[in-house]
Each structure stands twice: as C-alpha cells, then as structure tokens.
Amino acid sequence: MTETALALIELGAILFALGTFGRLAGRFGMSPIPLYLIGGLAFGEGGFISLSAANEFGHVAGEIGVVLLLLLLGLEYTAPELMTGLRRSWAAGLVDIVANATPGVVVALILGWGAVGAVTMGGVTYISSSGIVAKVLNDLGRLGNRETPVILSILVFEDLAMAVYLPILTTILAGLSFASGAKSLAIALTAITVVLVVALRYGRYVSAIVDSSDREVFLLKLLGAALLVAGVASALNVSAAVGAFLLGIAISGSTAHEAAKLLEPLRDLFAAIFFVAFGLTTDPRAIPPVLGWAVALAVVTVLTKVGTGWWAAKRQGIRPMGRARAGAALVARGEFSIVIAGLAVTMGGVDGDLAALASAYVLLMAILGPIAARVVEPAVGLVQRRWKPAAVTP
C-alpha cells in the first residue's frame, strides 16, 4: 500500500470517528472536545493503533483550526469593544499571571528543575487554551453573554503576554545575551503594535480588501488573509492565535457577518482535527510516572482560574452565575502550553520529564475545561437554591 493511500485511509477513519464522537456527545448534551482528545490519545504514539501517516496533515490542519477558531471569535467583536475590555481587565490579567503561573513555578522548583524549568512550567500552567475556550463558548451558545467580553479580554491579555514571554524564554533556553533577547522582544512588541493600529484605525480598508460578492473569491481571500497574518505573527514570536483574532476584529459590518457564516463549517472541521491532533502527539506511556503531580497541578489551577474569572467578572458588575461561567470557561489549557514545553525540551534546556508532566497536565485540563464549563450552571444553581431559596438565577 502506498503512503498516500494509507494517509487517506487514516484520515478518512479519523474524520468518520470525529462525526461519531460528535453525535455521541450531542446525545448527552456535552461538548465533544473531551472525546476528540481521548480518541487522539488512543490512536496516537503509544496508543492502541498508531496512525502515523496522517500525523503531518493533522498537525497543519490543527494549526488552521486554531486560526479559524480565533478569527471567528474576533469577528464577533469590534476594535473599540476590544480596547474597552483590555482597559477594564488589565488588573485581572496581572492577577491571572500571578495566580496561575505560581503553581507551575513551585512544582518545577520542588522537582529540582531549576530556574529554567520554573520559567517554563510557569508558562505552561498560566495560559488558557484560546482554541478550546472559543469552541466551548460557541458550543454552549454563550458568545452573547455579559461575561464573554471579560473572558475574551483575559484571553487577549494572555496572548499579548505570550508575545513578551516567548522571546524571554527562548533567550534563557539558548543562553543568549541580554542584547539578543531585547532585540527579539522589541520585534515582537512592534509587530503587536502594528497589528493593533491596523485593526483599530484601518479596519474598514481591511474589510474592503477581503470582501467580495463571489463566495469562492471571498472564502479564498478570508482564509488566505487569516493564514498569512497568523504565519507572520508566529514568525515574529507573536501568537498566531492573537494575529487571527485581531484580523477578525479589523473586519467589521456586513463583511464580518457574511464571513462568519461562510467560515463556520470550515472552523468546525479543522477545530475538531486540532483536538484529535493534540491527542495524537501525546504518548500515554509517559503519563503514569508524573500523573500525581499533574493531578495536583490540575486541582490547584482549576481553582486559581475559576477565582481569576470570578474576580474579573465581579469587577464588571456581573452576577454570581455569570462570574462562575467566566471562571469555568478559562480552565482549559491546550496548544500554547504544549508549545512552551516542547520548545524547552527541544532546545535542551530542561529535564525530559517536564514534557511528560506538561502533556499529562494539559490533557487533564483540556478535558476538565469543557466539562467545567458545562456543569457550572447546574452546580451554581444547586448551591443558590440550597442557600438562597428565594434567589432568581441571572
């Protein structure tokens, strides 16, 4: 059998399984993300059956999935809404860094991984998964909720923080001079500034460039622009996700509405592949030795993320149910955490066990995140009925 034929068979099997998992999740009224992740884990490296021929496509398709998730999330909001949210949520962003990076730093120091390992694990436990959060908000129909702008502001703050963090981490891992690190950081910050200015002041021109009455041309322009911006952003050590999000912010009016309708089926397809690809790259045999530490980190950082979202939403005058939804939505970790750990291990700056711990931790959080977002409403409703029988759920 040729390699192409094998890849097509594996890809077909994966897509058919995704449809089955999605239908099964729909029967129980839950997000399909945990099933996608577990499926990838079962059929990836070290799983029951290794589907290696489709791995390369899965990796690229997964990256496209994240780009599309964040692009469509950006299409829901305008540039003024973004800036207003960032101004209101900068304090929450700082609390988010301290509360969620600290557990990773502490565990790395306890395990003897030194300062480099501590900086790496701090990043792993700090940043939420923009891709998973975007998918969950869409699946649960919460994009129009009052707390959603708070969630998005924190996610954007995290992605912007990554633009500062990644050049610093790379410099530490490579043992580069302060001057080299400062140059890399300056390039990343300049790229963010340029994209923000374009999104805020010249958004109407961006809309005009990608718009077209021909659906085929419109789709090609949209997808091409999204991948181009995401790729350039990634090359400059800025999150590809935040690049796609800001492009979505820049597209406004009827163009944004039509773009969202056109891209939704593509987003759902590639996003599903992203979650499976993530599971495919995780070796389940590496998980048991570090599972205890991963569980401990998961418990602590679920609480810290929920606390961060609750506090941030409370500052915006949102009621308890909305605060709980905001906190639960931020729980999931994903693509960025794995990128950070993989970068550290590849450059040889940390212990190899760090990758196993990061994988186990992220897998747990990627599964817990959608579940937490789903069960938070009935859980809070139960508490409210028990302690405040007369209260009305907001």
Side-chain angles (χ1 to χ4, degrees):
M1 186 183 297
T2 66
E3 186 175 343
T4 300
L6 182 60
L8 289 173
I9 290 170
E10 290 184 1
L11 183 58
I14 290 172
L15 293 176
F16 187 83
L18 288 178
T20 304
F21 289 154
R23 184 174 182 180
L24 181 63
R27 288 274 183 94
F28 293 95
M30 62 178 284
S31 169
I33 293 173
L35 295 181
Y36 293 162
L37 289 165
I38 293 171
L41 191 67
F43 297 104
E45 181 183 352
F48 298 116
I49 301 173
S50 180
L51 303 180
S52 56
N55 266 353
E56 186 175 348
F57 172 82
H59 175 71
V60 175
E63 292 294 326
I64 295 173
V66 174
V67 168
L68 290 176
L69 279 168
L70 272 295
L71 174 64
L72 268 85
L73 203 57
L75 290 171
E76 297 286 335
Y77 296 91
T78 64
E81 288 172 341
L82 170 66
M83 296 309 297
T84 299
L86 286 175
R87 281 196 297 269
R88 290 179 177 177
S89 300
W90 66 268
L94 296 178
V95 169
D96 186 25
I97 292 175
V98 174
N100 294 288
T102 301
V105 170
V106 171
V107 167
L109 293 176
I110 291 174
L111 293 175
W113 292 340
V116 177
V119 172
T120 303
M121 281 303 299
V124 169
T125 58
Y126 159 57
I127 188 164
S128 301
S129 170
S130 300
I132 295 177
V133 173
K135 174 68 172 170
V136 168
L137 290 176
N138 181 72
D139 286 348
L140 298 180
R142 295 179 183 170
L143 290 177
N145 285 15
R146 277 197 66 202
E147 74 276 0
T148 299
V150 176
I151 297 168
L152 294 181
S153 297
I154 292 175
L155 290 177
V156 172
F157 188 96
E158 288 182 351
D159 280 341
L160 294 177
M162 282 293 109
V164 177
Y165 169 82
L166 283 178
I168 293 174
L169 177 64
T170 304
T171 301
I172 293 173
L173 292 171
L176 299 176
S177 65
F178 175 79
S180 297
K183 179 181 177 182
S184 180
L185 180 58
I187 292 172
L189 293 178
T190 301
I192 289 176
T193 303
V194 170
V195 175
L196 278 174
V197 169
V198 170
L200 288 169
R201 307 195 67 173
Y202 305 104
R204 62 186 182 277
Y205 298 113
V206 176
S207 298
I209 290 170
V210 300
D211 199 8
S212 175
S213 57
D214 187 300
R215 288 172 60 88
E216 180 182 349
V217 173
F218 191 22
L219 177 60
L220 290 171
K221 281 185 172 183
L222 275 172
L223 190 56
L227 296 179
L228 182 62
V229 170
V232 171
S234 183
L236 295 173
N237 283 329
V238 180
S239 165
V242 80
F245 180 79
L246 291 174
L247 175 63
I249 290 286
I251 299 172
S252 57
S254 60
T255 305
H257 180 70
E258 292 302 317
K261 289 197 301 183
L262 193 60
L263 289 173
E264 278 179 2
L266 274 180
R267 175 202 59 192
D268 294 339
L269 171 63
F270 283 101
I273 294 174
F274 160 71
F275 297 115
V276 172
F278 177 76
L280 287 172
T281 58
T282 303
D283 188 345
R285 295 170 298 188
I287 292 177
V290 294
L291 186 58
W293 284 109
V295 170
L297 271 178
V299 170
V300 172
T301 54
V302 163
L303 297 176
T304 53
K305 275 292 183 184
V306 169
T308 299
W310 179 284
W311 183 78
K314 183 179 179 181
R315 292 182 78 239
Q316 304 302 320
I318 295 171
R319 292 186 175 185
M321 182 65 81
R323 298 174 203 168
R325 286 195 297 258
L330 293 168
V331 165
R333 310 307 200 275
E335 64 280 0
F336 237 129
S337 298
I338 291 299
V339 167
I340 291 167
L343 179 65
V345 173
T346 300
M347 296 183 71
V350 298
D351 192 297
D353 289 340
L354 188 147
L357 175 57
S359 296
Y361 168 75
V362 172
L363 188 66
L364 282 173
M365 299 301 282
I367 292 172
L368 287 173
I371 293 174
R374 180 74 189 183
V375 304
V376 65
E377 285 189 341
V380 172
L382 180 63
V383 171
Q384 287 180 331
R385 287 193 297 272
R386 176 166 295 184
W387 293 100
K388 297 180 181 179
V392 177
T393 302

